Amino acid sequence: MKQRAMKMIMTVLLVAMVASTAVAKKKQQVIAPSYAWTIGEPLGLHYASTLDTLHFNYHKGFVPSMHSNVWATTGNYGAEGQNQVFFQRPATSDFFFEDAMQAWIPGVTTQRYYNTRIPMTVLAHSTGGDKHSNQDHTQALFSGNVNKRIEVGGALDYIYSKGAYDFQADKNFRWSLFGSYMGDRYEMQAFFNHYSITAKESGGIVDDRYITDPAAVQGGETKVSAKDIPTRLTAAQTKLSGKEFYMNHRYKVGYYHYERDSITDTIKGKTYIPVTSFIWTMDYKDGRHNFLNKSGAQDTSFFKHTYLGLGGTDETTSYHRLRNTVGVSLLEGFNRYAKFGFSLYGTHELRGYTQATDSVTGTTPPKGLEKLPVAVDHSHTEHVAWVGGQLTKQHGSILTYDATAQFGVLGDVVGDIDVKGEVSTKMRLLGDTVTLQGYGYFKNLEAPYLLKHFVSNHYAWSNDFAKEKRLRVGGVLNVPFTGSNVNVGYETLKNYIYFGTEGTPQQHSAPIHVLNATLKQQLQFKALHWDNEVTYQATSNSHILPLPKLSVYSNLYFTFTVARVLYVQLGIDGNYYTSYHAPAFNPATMSFNNQSAVKCGDFAMMNLYANFKMKQARFFVMYSHFNKGLFGGNHYFAVPHYPLNPSRLQFGVSVNFLN
């Protein structure tokens, strides 16, 4: 069976290579995409981006545990996870169920727009494992310009992964439509994204010794099949779905600059110079979370509390948000003495929440049920608003900066403060350009509604949290000629909100201090490369905010070209982090909560890989976690009771067709 799979995959790779070569021969002159960009909130500023066509480290995106150097995950590809590099972890969102799946859900800041000059189609597929544990990921992207101003596109993304362990399968399907209009006076970017995720919830394996010491639980037998390891839940699953419709409009007022021929005094061309722009951004988003457990016995034994019903759980929480932002902006260079852009804006949000029906509050609970500790409304609607300003300088050979300040003026966010910014400068040193960047923010923010009020079969809370205060400052030094990048930051948190050991939100009023220092170092000797990333984290309260002190990602590889057409990267990479009390995963709320019973970490996860690129095709072959059973430790748990994937062979191919 494995030989058959190998032949099939190698055939696919060969077909892709031949197709790519044929396309290249048909079109001798290939015009690359002229540019791509993303936009930032709240006013839709443009940030340069690129099309993901590089073959370097192509394999890395298909290892579930390598979304960051410390990724707390339940193990399967496309499954839940949380970044344990604290400076890279996003804040809790209004619909916290999405946070664990944030790596797989598209959004405003990740949506790309293109100007491709000629239509572009990208098709990609990766696979790994066997028929019982296969991991498949299929992607398709199209973008084309109607003319130099109008672009339309769409994308599909489908993950189906059965998982290495039982009751771990997940299925993620995402699709999107997007487009842009880039005129002299009027600009528009818009997209519609939809996602649907179904994930089996195993609750973790019943005994970690099936991984760490299989002989102790198997009567001396040292070998164990991953699919034969019993799990704590066998009839539970999560369904998470949502959509987002976004439009950013900008109308620019300015004047035309005419270029004249110096001899004939005729007009050769004209350029529109914008001075002021008026902006309207509309963003509608919704989400729906359903937790289903068909086993009543497992439901009551796995969870500490049961409030609403025996015989299993089938509950849904939903959320929707409509955000409108209007602003006026004086564009960068609007005055010969003002080399910056300045904007003022106002934002209004309408939010709505629907939760499980509370039918037992105020009554004597039926036998076997506990009395609900709080009363929470089945539905809730709120209006909130902010006013803000933005100061930017995106162009300049010496200094650029971006600063935004926002203040809450309506609803629960009254008194909120959110100020953030960064500044960057360049200097010449030893014939190269060195970049120095400073960044920081101050936040005084109201907790999301669902962290304050929530009801379900197993968890219920009503919290009166104080506003969470966060102050962060840091700097980045990038030295290209030495291949060095140093990022040092410091943050103070007061009234920090987290999920405690009981699986419910808690608040710690005393300040917590976090120091983060990351060094990225690239070394090269001819065809040999050695890339490293080392992060040191120190937390003043490891009971409330546990973090691994040291994490390392290392990548040793050769690069060379075969017959001047096949670009090759052969290497070995892996990550390691020190042990710490990693968060536990709660399948009912899709949250990661503190625990003090088990430490995770102190193991190495390593991969052997080969990445290739020929013409418009790129492909990889990888043997992930090849060091299992050889070296690096056998405690490969990123969160308690959820082991990472054992060794597996994986393949992938991506072809960029230019129509």
Side-chain angles (χ1 to χ4, degrees), residues 83-90 439 441 470-475 487-493 513-518 535-538 547:
N83 202 331
Q84 297 302 302
V85 180
F86 184 71
F87 269 46
Q88 299 174 4
R89 186 190 304 175
Y439 61 86
Y441 62 59
R470 302 178 67 160
L471 174 65
R472 176 182 294 186
V473 294
N487 185 339
V488 179
Y490 177 83
E491 179 160 347
T492 297
L493 305 98
H513 308 283
V514 180
L515 173 67
N516 180 97
T518 297
T535 297
Y536 173 78
Q537 299 180 108
L547 298 170

Side-chain angles (χ1 to χ4, degrees), residues 567-587:
Y567 299 90
V568 183
Q569 179 192 18
L570 297 178
I572 176 174
D573 73 341
N575 59 6
Y576 168 88
Y577 50 89
T578 52
S579 65
Y580 73 114
H581 285 107
F585 177 69
N586 187 329

Side-chain angles (χ1 to χ4, degrees), residues 406-474:
Q406 182 172 279
F407 306 93
V409 295
L410 177 67
D412 286 349
V413 302
V414 168
D416 275 17
I417 302 173
D418 190 352
V419 180
K420 57 186 176 182
E422 61 181 41
V423 58
S424 179
T425 186
K426 300 177 181 178
M427 63 190 78
R428 298 292 293 177
L429 181 64
L430 299 180
D432 208 340
T433 300
V434 175
T435 303
L436 181 63
Q437 180 187 55
Y439 61 86
Y441 62 59
F442 172 73
K443 300 177 183 289
N444 181 51
L445 302 179
E446 185 72 13
Y449 175 80
L450 289 178
L451 290 187
K452 296 185 294 183
H453 308 288
F454 181 74
V455 62
S456 67
N457 196 20
H458 303 295
Y459 296 92
W461 58 73
S462 186
N463 299 309
D464 185 17
F465 288 145
K467 291 184 184 294
E468 187 178 63
K469 295 179 173 62
R470 302 178 67 160
L471 174 65
R472 176 182 294 186
V473 294

Side-chain angles (χ1 to χ4, degrees), residues 5-55:
M6 279 284 294
K7 291 180 179 179
M8 181 184 69
I9 292 168
M10 294 309 294
T11 301
V12 171
L13 295 177
L14 181 60
V15 170
M17 293 166 60
V18 172
S20 174
T21 305
V23 171
K25 288 182 177 179
K26 183 179 179 181
K27 296 188 176 183
Q28 296 296 324
Q29 184 179 5
V30 176
I31 303 175
S34 57
Y35 59 88
W37 72 95
T38 60
I39 60 177
E41 297 183 285
L43 296 175
L45 282 180
H46 292 194
Y47 297 95
S49 184
T50 58
L51 180 65
D52 184 18
T53 57
L54 294 177
H55 70 286

Side-chain angles (χ1 to χ4, degrees), residues 53-59 529 557-559 568-569 611 618:
T53 57
L54 294 177
H55 70 286
F56 284 104
N57 300 328
Y58 180 37
H59 70 287
H529 301 254
Y557 57 94
F558 288 93
T559 59
V568 183
Q569 179 192 18
N611 294 310
R618 58 177 178 158

Side-chain angles (χ1 to χ4, degrees), residues 351-425:
R351 302 170 181 166
Y353 305 86
T354 304
Q355 304 190 51
T357 302
D358 170 9
S359 59
V360 295
T361 298
T363 66
T364 301
K367 185 178 181 180
L369 293 180
E370 298 177 61
K371 184 177 181 180
L372 267 171
V374 297
V376 177
D377 293 335
H378 172 60
S379 61
H380 174 77
T381 301
E382 59 184 10
H383 293 266
V384 293
W386 301 265
V387 295
Q390 190 171 55
L391 186 68
T392 61
K393 187 175 186 293
Q394 294 183 288
H395 307 287
S397 58
I398 298 177
L399 186 69
T400 59
Y401 48 82
D402 183 344
T404 304
Q406 182 172 279
F407 306 93
V409 295
L410 177 67
D412 286 349
V413 302
V414 168
D416 275 17
I417 302 173
D418 190 352
V419 180
K420 57 186 176 182
E422 61 181 41
V423 58
S424 179
T425 186

